Amino acid sequence: MKAEKIWMDGSFVDWDEAKVHVLTHALHYGSGIFEGIRAYKTEQGTAIFRLKAHVERLFNSAKILKLEMSYSRDEIFQAIVETVRVNRLDSCYIRPLVFRGYKKLGLSPFTCPVQVMIAAWEWGAYLGEEGLAKGIRAIVSSWQRSHVNSTSAKAKLCANYINSIFANMEASELGVEEAILLDSNGYVAEGPGENIFWVKGGIIYTPPLSAVLEGITRDSVITIARDMGYEVREEFVARDVLYIADEAFFVGTAAELTPIREIDGYIIGSGERGPISTVVQEKLFNTFKGKEKEYLEWLDFV
Ligand code: PPE
């Protein structure tokens, strides 16, 4: 994973020179927020998917963590576009990060400067090409999502991802590709870096937005599925509902739409990518590539 330049605090620096001090506040306490965005190669050139929504969420996350941004939404939007352009990337993943830098250690963050960086690089299928086509295996993690009074799920906080990392390590040590986390009430919440959907009797379900990140892919999938005529419901359910679902899938910027074929050893549906997952995935992937006219407004061309 490498590209040429990284945008750091207002200017481009060489990839290998984008460095911070070891006493950076965020390195010790996770006091940062980030975004994950993808750009895709389309017939009309490289396009960034739902950039406005990602910039909006970045600013909301910054507000929740009280990180004063010295750039406007428009400046960050332009800097992200420029980062893709200067690196001459077509399909890529983009990672903006806003964090407390180095000045004085100790929990109180306010004396530490707010730093901003934007990197972009080529990143293929998050859970493997085969996973996109055939589905992956998952477990329900013994780690649960943090209670809404323990952290903010609305903010894409660096520190939140420790919870995700525990779940990820557990899944990989058990030999499956991904974990599913329950919320503090025991209901299905999301993956470590994905929202989750399942299908039962032709209806598509996903958990409500409470302890889960308000995913932009989640929103896109709900919109696309409803436009296709499917009913989409938001419901709190226990893990056993997943075991008897007809289909299940993860969605996220990195994971795109990845079917889940097995959960805790239970085969989901027919054990392969289900029919509704297949058509929604196809529509979503065509949308990314600018092939769906009705969703062209979601693309910003580089
Ligand atoms: N939940 C979580 C916890 C999450 O981190 C993501 C994105 C989502 C849901 C889906 O949100 P959206 O990308 O807006 O559809 N996870 C990012 C980081 C993954 C990583 O490994 O790093 C991502 O997909 O970019």
Side-chain angles (χ1 to χ4, degrees):
M1 126 184 194
K2 188 167 174 174
E4 279 175 41
K5 301 276 183 193
I6 291 179
W7 189 95
M8 223 177 155
D9 299 317
S11 52
F12 284 103
V13 298
D14 287 340
W15 182 278
D16 292 326
E17 299 309 316
K19 294 175 182 167
V20 293
H21 195 275
V22 288
L23 295 180
T24 292
H25 196 272
L27 190 59
H28 293 252
Y29 307 120
S31 49
I33 61 101
F34 66 96
E35 267 307 315
I37 311 168
R38 272 193 193 266
Y40 291 90
K41 190 175 175 177
T42 78
E43 271 167 19
Q44 305 100 290
T46 297
I48 304 178
F49 186 64
R50 300 199 66 178
L51 180 52
K52 269 186 214 76
H54 283 284
V55 170
E56 194 55 38
R57 191 172 64 186
L58 182 88
F59 275 77
N60 285 337
S61 297
K63 182 173 183 181
I64 289 172
L65 197 57
K66 298 185 190 278
L67 295 168
E68 291 267 334
M69 293 281 282
S70 44
Y71 304 95
S72 66
R73 283 167 171 71
D74 200 48
E75 284 168 327
I76 294 296
F77 185 102
Q78 290 310 329
I80 291 170
V81 172
E82 269 310 298
T83 304
V84 176
R85 202 179 279 150
V86 301
N87 285 294
R88 296 185 300 271
L89 293 161
D90 45 32
S91 288
C92 64
Y93 184 82
I94 308 159
R95 169 58 56 82
L97 174 73
V98 184
F99 61 101
R100 289 279 173 194
Y102 158 58
K103 180 93 184 243
K104 184 172 160 286
L105 226 47
L107 285 181
S108 175
F110 296 112
T111 46
C112 294
V114 174
Q115 291 192 252
V116 186
M117 79 89 195
I118 304 161
W121 64 89
E122 274 177 45
W123 195 358
Y126 188 61
L127 295 163
E129 276 300 330
E130 202 185 303
L132 290 178
K134 296 194 171 146
I136 56 141
R137 298 164 68 218
I139 48 140
V140 173
S141 181
S142 65
W143 295 95
Q144 64 184 34
R145 266 286 175 249
S146 301
H147 187 272
V148 289
N149 291 332
S150 298
T151 187
S152 163
K154 269 273 178 299
K156 210 167 158 57
L157 300 170
C158 297
N160 284 352
Y161 284 83
I162 279 305
N163 181 244
S164 296
I165 288 168
F166 277 125
N168 168 283
M169 291 192 295
E170 185 179 25
S172 61
E173 275 158 16
L174 291 172
V176 302
E177 287 84 10
E178 194 53 297
I180 297 165
L181 291 120
L182 307 178
D183 66 20
S184 52
N185 294 315
Y187 298 119
V188 173
E190 60 183 337
E194 310 91 349
N195 290 110
I196 190 168
F197 285 77
W198 62 96
V199 178
K200 186 75 180 176
I203 297 171
I204 302 174
Y205 296 87
T206 193
L209 294 173
S210 54
V212 305
L213 185 75
E214 192 166 346
I216 291 162
T217 321
R218 176 187 183 279
D219 179 74
S220 308
V221 164
I222 292 173
T223 302
I224 287 172
R226 286 191 176 142
D227 288 350
M228 290 172 88
Y230 291 107
E231 185 180 341
V232 183
R233 292 190 196 159
E234 298 180 63
E235 272 187 20
F236 288 114
V237 300
R239 71 181 78 185
D240 50 6
V241 169
L242 299 182
Y243 297 160
I244 56 170
D246 300 329
E247 305 179 30
F249 53 89
F250 284 122
V251 309
T253 299
E256 300 168 304
L257 190 158
T258 304
I260 308 170
R261 64 181 166 87
E262 191 185 305
I263 300 171
D264 291 342
Y266 292 94
I267 303 298
I268 307 306
S270 57
E272 52 193 28
R273 178 173 61 187
I276 293 180
S277 311
T278 302
V279 292
V280 175
Q281 186 191 51
E282 196 186 357
K283 191 92 170 180
L284 180 70
F285 287 17
N286 282 337
T287 299
F288 292 156
K289 293 185 181 109
K291 290 182 189 158
E292 300 289 343
K293 279 210 183 67
E294 52 185 316
Y295 307 118
L296 267 181
E297 68 199 37
W298 281 345
L299 302 185
D300 280 293
F301 290 91
V302 171

